[in-house]
Amino acid sequence: MKSSYERDNFRKLYWLVAGIFLTVSLVLMFYLGMTMDGASKLVLVIISVTEIILVILLFILASKYIDAAYGSVEDASDIMLSIIEEAKEKDDMSESLKKIEDYKASELREGSIGIFYDSFEKLINMFQEGKRKEKSEKEYLRDVMSDISHQLKTPLASMDVFLDLIVNDKINSEDERKMILSEASNQISRMEWMVLSMLKLARIEAGAIEFEISDVNVSAVLSEVVGSVKYLTDTRNQKLSVSCDEDITIKADSQWLTEAIINIVKNASDYSKEDEDIDIHVEKNSVFTRICISDHGMGMSEETMTHIFDRFYRASNEVNPNSVGIGLSLSKSIVEGMGGRITVDSKLGEGSTFKLQF
């Protein structure tokens, strides 16, 4: 998009100043020439003509410089317009970015114009990154909604069957009624856990949760974990043992770290037989602190370990049918959101060890 506004203003100002200068100069030359002889007058005429030629040449050079400077700005304006049109039609702005790269490659830009084009390119890259992030968030939201919808189908279908049996009085005995109501309660608990966990996971991955990072005493956190899962481990006659020095601290959010470890311990309990031990061991060196949670259960294959932290992935459908397969995914997001790292070592038939490193 070209405009002659700035160029016209330059021409007006230039000829105004040049006109005043030439007028004053020629008037002075005229009065000086009245008192001089013929040779001196010729010199004054030559000087006057030279001044006029220099003013004209200076105008031509200045006009070319002004045209080049404003031409660069107009080229940038054209690219901006093409980006706007391209953004309306599609998400990809690679063509517009290529125009900038080609233009910069064909013209060596320095000074203010060079700075302007560099800043312009950074702005486009930021805009492009924003578009990519927006697209990624939309895809993530779509996947989350699809996952929730898919996972709710089974418990909702079960609830529909239970309600039909109760409403239409198709239950033969009081024991059967209690069994149906108990199973309905399990399905409701499952849906509640899944929805709350998915909301937490979505908020963490969307960056909507700010972890309150501080010096956290690991021993105190593990004591809280033991108390939280005591009913579960006692019911299965499993022993949860903890080995951790009292003075070990890490930079983390105490509440979220507790939740992450609880999820892993529950998973270890689910995939361990009754009477089997679950061990939590903490090791610290000058570089990192590592929390290891080990079970002696069924273990995992290499294929399972590659998916163990995926949403709704379950290594076995026979273990804890009420599980929705989101606890480990949530734990991973929590640990990584606090700057930590989580990995798993496992051997089929020999148990698994989850390692949280900070």
Side-chain angles (χ1 to χ4, degrees):
M1 180 180 292
K2 297 187 180 298
S3 171
S4 61
Y5 177 77
E6 290 83 3
R7 294 174 177 83
D8 290 341
N9 284 341
F10 165 74
R11 293 188 188 101
K12 291 176 182 178
L13 180 61
Y14 181 88
W15 287 118
L16 176 63
V17 174
I20 294 173
F21 169 76
L22 288 175
T23 301
V24 173
S25 177
L26 292 175
V27 169
L28 289 175
M29 295 289 183
F30 176 76
Y31 282 109
L32 288 173
M34 293 177 63
T35 61
M36 293 181 178
D37 56 20
S40 299
K41 289 181 179 179
L42 180 61
V43 172
L44 290 178
V45 170
I46 293 173
I47 293 174
S48 300
V49 172
T50 302
E51 285 183 350
I52 295 173
I53 293 173
L54 288 175
V55 167
I56 294 173
L57 289 175
L58 183 60
F59 172 76
I60 294 172
L61 293 174
S63 295
K64 287 184 177 180
Y65 182 81
I66 293 295
D67 284 338
Y70 282 112
S72 297
V73 177
E74 288 164 350
D75 290 338
S77 177
D78 290 338
I79 296 175
M80 287 180 184
L81 290 175
S82 69
I83 289 173
I84 293 172
E85 294 301 322
E86 203 171 357
K88 290 179 181 177
E89 297 174 1
K90 53 185 178 181
D91 292 331
D92 185 21
M93 291 181 292
S94 58
E95 292 181 10
S96 297
L97 286 170
K98 189 174 184 303
K99 289 179 184 178
I100 285 237
E101 290 297 330
D102 292 344
Y103 189 78
K104 287 181 67 178
S106 63
E107 299 285 343
L108 182 61
R109 298 293 169 181
E110 298 179 354
S112 298
I113 295 298
I115 294 172
F116 172 77
Y117 265 90
D118 286 338
S119 301
F120 181 38
E121 185 178 15
K122 290 177 183 177
L123 181 63
I124 294 176
N125 285 324
M126 283 180 58
F127 187 62
Q128 177 80 331
E129 184 61 30
K131 295 285 287 185
R132 287 197 204 98
K133 186 175 180 181
E134 181 183 357
K135 183 179 179 181
S136 176
E137 289 176 351
K138 287 181 179 179
E139 290 175 350
Y140 173 74
L141 181 59
R142 180 194 63 201
D143 292 341
V144 168
M145 297 304 295
S146 176
D147 288 340
I148 292 177
S149 175
H150 176 74
Q151 293 296 322
L152 284 175
K153 285 181 180 178
T154 300
L156 286 174
S158 300
M159 292 292 295
D160 186 52
V161 172
F162 298 152
L163 290 174
D164 179 67
L165 292 173
I166 294 173
V167 171
N168 295 300
D169 200 21
K170 297 179 181 179
I171 301 174
N172 298 322
S173 65
E174 185 63 25
D175 289 341
E176 187 178 355
R177 180 187 297 275
K178 289 181 179 179
M179 183 186 70
I180 289 174
L181 290 175
S182 176
E183 183 59 28
S185 177
N186 288 336
Q187 294 296 337
I188 291 174
S189 298
R190 181 186 181 193
M191 287 188 289
E192 180 183 18
W193 160 253
M194 184 190 68
V195 171
L196 290 176
S197 297
M198 279 303 302
L199 288 174
K200 290 178 183 177
L201 183 60
R203 289 176 64 198
I204 291 172
E205 294 188 357
I209 289 180
E210 292 186 8
F211 294 104
E212 297 180 4
I213 306 298
S214 61
D215 289 325
V216 174
N217 185 279
V218 178
S219 179
V221 168
L222 295 179
S223 296
E224 190 172 347
V225 170
V226 172
S228 298
V229 300
K230 184 175 179 9
Y231 176 77
L232 176 64
T233 53
D234 286 351
T235 301
R236 298 173 179 174
N237 200 28
Q238 296 168 333
K239 182 182 177 183
L240 178 61
S241 59
V242 177
S243 174
C244 177
D245 293 339
E246 294 289 334
D247 60 345
I248 294 180
T249 61
I250 59 174
K251 294 286 186 180
D253 185 307
S254 178
Q255 292 185 345
W256 283 105
L257 178 61
T258 302
E259 180 164 351
I261 297 175
I262 286 174
N263 289 338
I264 297 173
V265 172
K266 285 182 177 178
N267 180 80
S269 176
D270 287 342
Y271 285 87
S272 298
K273 295 180 181 179
E274 292 188 2
D275 302 321
E276 287 188 337
D277 294 344
I278 299 171
D279 304 315
I280 301 179
H281 171 71
V282 181
E283 55 188 50
K284 181 180 178 65
N285 58 38
S286 59
V287 179
F288 60 80
T289 299
R290 181 183 290 154
I291 304 170
C292 301
I293 304 163
S294 304
D295 65 66
H296 307 281
M298 59 191 299
M300 292 179 280
S301 65
E302 292 287 340
E303 174 67 19
T304 298
M305 281 192 287
T306 60
H307 299 287
I308 195 63
F309 294 111
D310 293 349
R311 287 197 308 268
F312 302 117
Y313 181 81
R314 297 177 62 195
S316 173
N317 292 325
E318 298 177 0
V319 177
N320 190 1
N322 290 323
S323 173
V324 295
I326 198 175
L328 293 180
S329 179
L330 179 59
S331 293
K332 183 175 187 291
S333 293
I334 292 172
V335 172
E336 292 181 349
M338 294 187 296
R341 180 169 172 260
I342 182 169
T343 57
V344 59
D345 293 332
S346 184
K347 188 172 288 188
L348 199 59
E350 297 183 12
S352 305
T353 298
F354 287 85
K355 300 177 181 178
L356 283 63
Q357 185 170 304
F358 294 88

